Structure formats: C-alpha cells, structure tokens
Amino acid sequence: MRVSLALIILPLFFWLLPCPAGATETQVEEAKPPPRTERFILIVVDGLTNECVGATTTPNISGIGAAGVRVERVSGVMPQTSEAALASIVTGVGPARHGVRGPGDKPRVVTLASLLARRETATALFVTGREKDCSAAGRAGKLVTAPDDAGLVDRAIDYLREVNPYFVTLVLRGPGAVLAKGGSGQEYREAVTAADAQIGRLLSYLYGSRTFETSFLCVTGTTRDPPLILKAPELKAGVILPPAALTDVAPTLAYFMGVNLPEAEGLVLWNALAQTTDQSEAYLLELRVRDLSQALFAAREENLRFLRERAAVQREKEKMARLQRDMGQLVSSREEHILRLTRTIMWLKAAMVLILGLSGLGYLYEYRVLRRRFLLFK
C-alpha cells in the first residue's frame, strides 16, 4: 500500500517541479532594468504663466506634469525680460552673473549646450524669430529659426527624425509676442493654447517614435510667474514640488547629463528624483535639504554683507552730511567776513574821498590865504 502510494506521489512531484523555473523566468522578465533618459528636450514658452497651465487651456503641458513633476511656484529673475530669463534657464545663474538683460546680449558664462559641445555631443537650438533673437541662449550646436511656432516645431520634428540629438532647446514666442504688443487677455489665452498645441505635435512624434519614455522633458516660461514641469524616467510622477527658481533648471539637467556647471547659482531638484535601490527618498530629501541649507547660509551671508555695506554707506552719508554742514558753516562765516571786509573797504573809500575833499578844500583855503599875504607885500 505504501509502495503504491509512493508511485502516485512521485509523478506528481516531478510534474510540479518545473513550476519554480517558470516563476523564475517571470521574475527575470519583471526585473528588466527601468528605462533611462536618452534625450533631453527643453521647451521654453516665452510669456507662459503658471496660472494659465490647466487641463482646458494647456492639456498637453498638463499631461507632461501628470506624467512627471510640477513645481508649485517659480521665482524669476531681475530684470524681468525674456532674454534675461532665457539666459538664466540655460546657465543656472542670475543676470548679475551672465550679463544678459535685453536683446542682443550674450551670456558671459558657459551654457549647457556649450558644455555639451566640448564633448562633441549633438545639440540644437530652435527659436521662433530672427537669428539675433537667439543670442540670450548662447551659440552651440545647430541653430534653427522660424517665423512662427508651427514652422519651428515642423523643423524640430524633422531634425529629431534625422539626427536624433542629445539635447534640444525650443523657444516658442507666441504668448510672449501677444504680451509685447499689448494684446487682450483673450488673445493671450488663445496664444497659450496654440503654443500648447505645438507642444502636443512634438509629443505625438515622441509617442510615435517610441522615445517619449526615454525623453527628459522640461517645460517652463520666462517672465511673470512661469511654470516649471519636468518629466523623465528617473523622476517622480504626478507630484507637486515646493517652490523653486528658474536658475534650478540648468543644474538639474546638468546632473542628469553628467556635466558640471561650476558657476551655477541654482540647485539640483533632488526631491524630484524617484526612489531607487541605490537612492532612497530620505537620502534624496537629505541632499535637497543640504543644498537649501547651504543656499540659505549663503543668502544670510549676502544679507549680512549687504547690511554691513548699508551701515558703512550710512556712516559715509553721515560723515558727508557733517562735512557739508561744516562746509556750510565755513562758507557762511567766510561770506560774513567778506561782507565785513566789503563794508570796511566801502567806509575806507568814503573816508578817502572825504579826506581828499577836505584836502582840496584846505589847499584852496591855503591858496587864498597865501595869495592875500603875497598881495599885501606888493
């Protein structure tokens, strides 16, 4: 009986034996490495504000935010010009460092594209407008211009299809052009929706070419209250981050590109990164807190330096006020002295005239007296 029972159980055992191997194959298939960023696309919509980004007005930009992270508030730069903001986005420093304030100015510091060009990496800059409107973003790699946003996106898609570059920057001018000419709110919203439609065309190409998942997308604006939206395989999804700055864009992109921006004032958005086996969320938050602490310390030191300089300037102003008061008193005393001397000279002149008059009268009197005497002797 025991032998027959064993004969029944053994075939069942060997029949079930391959099951763990099948489970292992499934685990290996599930353990495929996650996608990594293979291309970076920076989209700058001139004049785009954070309040205009919504599911109805900008469905494509909002979709990127849903697939990635969106910054709650973004601080811009001073002066509030499109050129200064664009230069800060691609350099990671403020206008005081990069020197761009208006049309025609060129950055005095290195840009992301120029750093990648040193590594002979394919980069491209697409700007709506004329070639002179591209100076704020620096010159590196291929430069393409177009008269409108639709034509620019056409050329960008053709270039992506033919070359497959590593880093592409698109500057869409539609909303900014409406603001520059003083258009109405309705015209501005229509321009924002039109720019979003062009971004949707670019996304359609990325989906169609199956490169959307491996593309690092960054969408931001320039002036006023610009948005900042990031999407990449290494980033979180559907998360709203605390406030950041436009100068944080370049350092964050540089971190993923593996290049160093030595003069960057902005910070890497560590809290945008997704947790991995090598980097826990607590570790990433610790890096972000460390950078923010250093930035806060630097800001406090700069504030103390400003206060010390203001106190020194105040002391100099008080010193100059005292000198001015002393000089005023000295001038007043000199003027009084000059007035006294002037009066003295006038009195002396009057006395001299009087003396001369008396002398003339005396001579005349003596002349008459002597004449009588001489006449008597005759």
Side-chain angles (χ1 to χ4, degrees):
M1 183 67 181
R2 292 181 178 177
V3 175
S4 62
L5 183 61
L7 292 175
I8 296 173
I9 293 176
L10 282 175
L12 291 173
F13 174 76
F14 285 108
W15 180 70
L16 294 173
L17 189 61
C19 291
T24 304
E25 292 176 1
T26 304
Q27 291 175 358
V28 171
E29 185 178 353
E30 293 178 352
K32 288 192 305 183
R36 307 291 296 178
T37 296
E38 299 177 359
R39 174 194 292 159
F40 294 84
I41 301 178
L42 172 61
I43 304 173
V44 181
V45 183
D46 185 25
L48 180 64
T49 59
N50 200 19
E51 63 179 1
C52 287
V53 177
T56 56
T57 55
T58 58
N60 296 296
I61 297 176
S62 300
I64 298 174
V69 297
R70 177 175 176 177
V71 178
E72 180 182 8
R73 295 292 302 275
V74 180
S75 60
V77 297
M78 286 296 293
Q80 292 184 349
T81 62
S82 301
E83 292 78 13
L86 179 58
S88 294
I89 291 171
V90 298
T91 62
V93 300
R97 294 283 297 278
H98 61 60
V100 176
R101 297 181 178 275
D105 295 339
K106 298 180 180 180
R108 296 195 297 251
V109 298
V110 295
T111 65
L112 278 175
S114 62
L115 286 176
L116 293 173
R118 297 175 185 176
R119 302 194 313 187
E120 298 183 354
T121 304
T123 64
L125 171 64
F126 293 81
V127 179
T128 301
R130 296 161 295 181
E131 187 172 343
K132 68 177 184 179
D133 299 329
C134 311
S135 59
R139 292 292 298 272
K142 185 177 181 61
L143 173 63
V144 179
T145 61
D148 52 41
D149 293 344
L152 189 76
V153 173
D154 286 338
R155 299 181 183 183
I157 292 175
D158 292 339
Y159 184 75
L160 291 172
R161 184 180 294 111
E162 296 172 3
V163 180
N164 190 26
Y166 183 68
F167 178 46
V168 176
T169 302
L170 283 85
V171 182
L172 307 180
R173 301 280 192 182
V178 173
L179 292 176
K181 70 177 184 179
S184 64
Q186 180 63 28
E187 292 177 331
Y188 171 72
R189 287 188 292 271
E190 291 175 355
V192 169
T193 302
D196 179 79
Q198 300 307 319
I199 295 175
R201 294 178 54 216
L202 179 63
L203 297 180
S204 297
Y205 165 75
L206 296 178
Y207 277 117
S209 60
R210 297 182 180 180
T211 57
F212 178 80
E213 293 296 330
T214 57
S215 297
F216 191 118
L217 295 174
C218 176
V219 181
T220 185
T222 52
T223 56
R224 301 188 179 184
D225 180 22
L228 178 55
I229 297 173
L230 306 170
K231 195 283 308 176
E234 299 86 355
L235 300 181
K236 298 175 182 177
V239 176
I240 298 179
L241 300 180
L246 279 180
T247 52
D248 295 338
V249 174
T252 303
L253 294 177
Y255 168 76
F256 285 96
M257 294 175 179
V259 297
N260 182 31
L261 282 172
E263 300 181 0
E265 298 172 346
L267 307 174
V268 178
L269 298 177
W270 298 106
N271 51 339
L273 275 67
Q275 179 177 338
T276 62
T277 55
D278 299 331
Q279 296 177 333
S280 64
E281 186 171 359
Y283 173 72
L284 295 173
L285 289 176
E286 183 179 350
L287 292 177
R288 180 64 175 168
V289 170
R290 181 202 63 185
D291 290 352
L292 290 175
S293 298
Q294 292 176 351
L296 179 61
F297 175 78
R300 287 175 173 172
E301 287 294 310
E302 183 69 16
N303 186 49
L304 288 175
R305 185 186 66 82
F306 172 75
L307 292 176
R308 287 193 292 268
E309 290 182 356
R310 189 174 70 173
V313 170
Q314 184 64 29
R315 289 194 297 270
E316 288 296 324
K317 288 176 62 177
E318 294 176 354
K319 181 179 178 181
M320 292 299 296
R322 288 196 299 270
L323 289 175
Q324 186 177 7
R325 185 171 58 253
D326 294 342
M327 289 296 296
Q329 293 176 353
L330 180 61
V331 169
S332 299
S333 62
R334 290 296 176 87
E335 288 179 350
E336 292 178 0
H337 182 64
I338 292 172
L339 183 60
R340 287 196 298 269
L341 290 177
T342 302
R343 291 174 179 174
T344 302
I345 292 172
M346 290 178 61
W347 282 109
L348 289 175
K349 288 181 178 179
M352 187 174 296
V353 171
L354 181 61
I355 292 172
L356 290 175
L358 294 175
S359 298
L361 292 176
Y363 283 123
L364 182 61
Y365 175 75
E366 185 176 4
Y367 169 74
R368 290 181 177 180
V369 170
L370 292 176
R371 183 181 178 187
R372 289 176 181 175
R373 287 182 180 178
F374 284 121
L375 289 175
L376 288 174
F377 284 105
K378 285 182 178 181

